[in-house]
Amino acid sequence: MVSVHSSYQYVKLCFLGNIISYILTIPQCKRIILQFDKTGGSSKGLREFLRRRLENYATSNPKIEFKIIEKAGHPVIKGEYINGREKAICIRNLNIDIIQQKLNLLRESSGAQLTRTKGKVTSLNESIRGIWSPLHVDPKNRHKI
Amino acid sequence: MNRIRNSLVLSKPFINQSSKLIHKSFSTTRFVNQTTTQESLNTTQTTSSSSASNSKIITEEEASKSALLVSLHRRLNLPKEFKLSTLARCLTCRSSQGKLNNYGLNILGKNFLSYYVSENLLATYPRLPTIILNSAIDSYISNESLASIGEHSWGIEVDQTPILQKFLREEPIEYSYGKLRFLPVNPKTNEKGVTKITKNAGEIDPTVAYSLSVRSIIGALYASTKSETLTKKFIYDHILSRKLDISTMFEFEQPTRELSRLCKREGFEVPIARLLAENGRLTKKPVFVVGVFSGENKLGESYGSSLKEAKIRASVDALKKWYLYKPLNPKVPSDEDYQPGLIDHGIVIV
């Protein structure tokens, strides 16, 4: 008789992945918070960005929510991601162009912690070529002791 | 770059709304101190009475003020016919709102989901045993799976901010329309040191709330576009595109016996296990490769550290190959050029 494997609950969990989100162009960044100081000198660039470029930038990125917060101190931009993580960049004394670059960085990021991949290939699918097996080599060519 | 370009092109109809949003976010955070206390008071009133008595209709204008809602709409690439107010309704569970909730849409979505998913699985694997088929369908459309799609793939947020905090932040009521609103299970009891396990009427788990919203978004997509093709595409894109390894779900009690029964039923020759290769028979870790043959045809092959183990594994391999038969380019009944395919005799009864 066929029955369902007792550990099939595991299957439910293992088929998650953000590859699909990438194909469906769901950006992983869901919110960008721009925090600035009303009078501070280090916020000069961000204030200029808010005045001149924010409207265009926000309309060209409709999948991301933009939130502006006024708070004393150095200016910070934060990205909130679908995986629940947050990335913050301090942008004190930066000019308007560099701020836009930093925003692009937050927008393009997946939100995952940066790790070295070390050339490993990870995939949900089995390798097409298969794993080499010494037992399947032609008996004529097999090593004999 | 293509992604960005696409979003640029798509963003055109929403430009006006987005610019509104920016102004809204300015006002929320006291950059332009226009938000009146009156508005904040309204927020408190409506959110505090999260019981069934509150059944306010969310208008399109109100919904378009919620930056979260608009960004979610765009993120899912929903068509223009799918209104923002409908999306807000999809995120409102029955427990938090009176009449205008997602319950009805959820039933519609559930039917679409179970139809397209079971149709797809049956067409792809016509010989799948019922018990495996059911759990495969469950893996795709169970509450847990749908909740993980809503939370980790679509990025829907739960409205958890306390009312006082909303008031202090001067957050307009429209903002929370973009969040999943439901009455969570309240663990508090009057007794000290006692944790409540049972739920009160209307209280639901976050998993259930997420799955309700995902199902109702699918239902609302059909209800607003009246297009089965769009709904089908949406389900294929978001739910059936996920990887599910059905071959790991099988468990056989007597595979060798089941295989010989199968061969008898189908009129094949009696299956015979043959040793294909071996290594280190007299050592601590021998390896045997065994193939199961029916006459000239090899039905399955596998390895094992003993002859018996290898034989059993080879039979399991043969059975899996039988049950997981997959026609080339399978067509489902809802396709236009569908032609009836294989109808299986059913599972082998041992």
Side-chain angles (χ1 to χ4, degrees):
Chain A
M1 278 296 284
V2 191
S3 57
V4 183
H5 198 276
S6 49
S7 67
Y8 95 97
Q9 286 282 344
Y10 165 74
V11 176
K12 273 183 195 170
L13 302 172
C14 82
F15 72 114
L16 300 173
N18 60 8
I19 307 153
I20 298 142
S21 313
Y22 180 77
I23 296 161
L24 295 171
T25 67
I26 299 176
Q28 295 298 295
C29 181
K30 59 179 175 183
R31 183 181 297 123
I32 290 178
I33 298 169
L34 305 117
Q35 184 188 308
F36 75 105
D37 188 357
K38 220 171 179 179
T39 48
S42 60
S43 292
K44 203 183 154 195
L46 183 57
R47 284 200 300 269
E48 202 184 343
F49 182 86
L50 294 181
R51 264 199 305 276
R52 289 193 192 165
R53 295 196 191 164
L54 179 70
E55 189 155 350
N56 263 333
Y57 195 80
T59 34
S60 55
N61 295 296
K63 293 179 182 181
I64 300 168
E65 182 204 343
F66 289 86
K67 201 170 179 179
I68 296 106
I69 293 174
E70 191 222 313
K71 198 183 173 189
H74 289 308
V76 175
I77 48 171
K78 281 181 199 161
E80 285 180 17
Y81 296 88
I82 284 176
N83 63 4
R85 287 178 62 88
E86 197 182 85
K87 278 189 185 181
I89 301 173
C90 178
I91 45 161
R92 63 171 179 177
N93 298 328
L94 295 185
N95 69 32
I96 187 165
D97 293 318
I98 300 174
I99 289 171
Q100 189 154 357
Q101 278 174 26
K102 298 285 181 197
L103 280 171
N104 288 349
L105 196 136
L106 287 181
R107 181 188 67 185
E108 303 298 334
S109 174
S110 73
Q113 202 162 21
L114 295 180
T115 45
R116 261 188 81 193
T117 43
K118 288 184 183 172
K120 253 190 225 165
V121 178
T122 46
S123 171
L124 290 171
N125 300 319
E126 274 179 27
S127 121
I128 297 168
R129 189 186 59 179
I131 301 165
W132 179 79
S133 152
L135 294 166
H136 288 82
V137 179
D138 189 356
K140 278 184 278 178
N141 304 329
R142 246 180 246 171
H143 174 68
K144 283 186 192 111
I145 303 163
Chain B
M1 272 312 286
N2 275 334
R3 275 172 62 197
I4 302 160
R5 238 173 253 148
N6 282 342
S7 61
L8 271 170
V9 175
L10 286 166
S11 69
K12 275 178 188 167
F14 272 90
I15 282 175
N16 291 332
Q17 280 173 357
S18 307
S19 56
K20 265 184 215 164
L21 291 179
I22 296 160
H23 296 308
K24 204 66 216 173
S25 1
F26 273 111
S27 63
T28 50
T29 49
R30 297 177 216 161
F31 181 56
V32 187
N33 273 322
Q34 282 176 342
T35 336
T36 53
T37 20
Q38 190 58 46
E39 197 183 339
S40 324
L41 280 171
N42 286 342
T43 321
T44 4
Q45 275 166 12
T46 27
T47 38
S48 61
S49 57
S50 54
S51 59
S53 61
N54 174 25
S55 57
K56 192 174 159 283
I57 298 166
I58 302 168
T59 59
E60 190 63 18
E61 199 195 337
E62 277 175 333
S64 65
K65 282 178 189 166
S66 172
L68 252 179
L69 200 63
V70 177
S71 63
L72 180 67
H73 191 279
R74 301 303 318 228
R75 217 182 299 144
L76 295 180
N77 285 328
L78 295 171
K80 262 184 275 173
E81 297 89 57
F82 196 118
K83 286 185 178 169
L84 289 166
S85 49
T86 320
L87 187 59
R89 186 175 168 172
C90 290
L91 297 173
T92 314
C93 293
R94 189 157 58 164
S95 55
S96 73
Q97 195 87 355
K99 284 171 191 168
L100 285 160
N101 52 53
N102 60 14
Y103 193 72
L105 290 168
N106 140 66
I107 295 169
L108 182 62
K110 192 179 185 176
N111 287 326
F112 271 112
L113 268 173
S114 53
Y115 174 68
Y116 285 122
V117 170
S118 47
E119 167 191 81
N120 177 275
L121 278 169
L122 270 171
T124 330
Y125 303 104
R127 284 186 185 142
L128 216 55
T130 322
I131 184 165
I132 306 283
L133 176 73
N134 285 342
S135 53
I137 294 170
D138 199 38
S139 302
Y140 276 119
I141 60 169
S142 66
N143 279 352
E144 291 83 9
S145 310
L146 293 181
S148 81
I149 288 168
E151 192 179 356
H152 304 299
S153 186
W154 295 355
I156 297 174
E157 286 174 18
V158 181
D159 188 18
Q160 281 173 325
T161 328
I163 302 146
L164 183 67
Q165 209 174 339
K166 277 182 189 173
F167 174 70
L168 292 173
R169 276 189 200 163
E170 296 179 13
E171 190 182 290
I173 185 180
E174 289 90 9
Y175 190 73
S176 63
Y177 290 163
K179 290 183 176 176
L180 182 59
R181 300 184 298 161
F182 64 98
L183 203 63
V185 181
N186 188 5
K188 280 178 193 165
T189 48
N190 295 330
E191 299 290 324
K192 215 177 182 183
V194 176
T195 324
K196 200 171 74 178
I197 300 171
T198 49
K199 304 160 197 168
N200 286 346
E203 290 181 348
I204 48 172
D205 291 328
T207 320
V208 178
Y210 267 115
S211 63
L212 276 169
S213 70
V214 171
R215 270 188 235 117
S216 57
I217 285 172
I218 290 163
L221 180 66
Y222 176 74
S224 45
T225 57
K226 298 276 186 301
S227 159
E228 276 171 41
T229 4
L230 259 178
T231 319
K232 189 181 169 186
K233 195 182 172 290
F234 191 83
I235 291 171
Y236 271 68
D237 282 352
H238 291 271
I239 282 119
L240 283 166
S241 59
R242 296 183 164 243
K243 164 101 177 162
L244 177 67
D245 193 0
I246 297 177
S247 68
T248 55
M249 290 168 124
F250 283 89
E251 203 169 62
F252 298 98
E253 278 170 26
Q254 296 164 305
T256 41
R257 211 172 147 197
E258 192 165 337
L259 184 65
S260 59
R261 276 293 175 127
L262 175 72
C263 289
K264 200 178 175 187
R265 192 185 80 179
E266 297 297 323
F268 303 153
E269 283 181 46
V270 183
I272 295 164
R274 292 200 182 101
L275 185 63
L276 298 177
E278 64 166 281
N279 194 16
R281 188 187 275 257
L282 299 174
T283 61
K284 191 184 161 199
K285 286 186 177 174
V287 181
F288 299 98
V289 177
V290 166
V292 181
F293 292 80
S294 163
E296 287 285 292
N297 304 316
K298 186 160 86 176
L299 303 177
E301 184 200 300
S302 198
Y303 64 91
S305 59
S306 71
L307 285 167
K308 198 179 174 188
E309 188 196 340
K311 187 186 162 189
I312 290 168
R313 277 181 191 272
S315 313
V316 169
D317 185 44
L319 282 171
K320 277 187 184 173
K321 276 176 182 153
W322 171 263
Y323 284 130
L324 291 172
Y325 157 74
K326 200 174 171 182
L328 282 173
N329 305 320
K331 293 276 175 197
V332 288
S334 61
D335 285 340
E336 277 175 15
D337 49 347
Y338 170 71
Q339 279 176 345
L342 173 102
I343 296 172
D344 184 46
H345 299 300
I347 57 162
V348 182
I349 294 157
V350 184

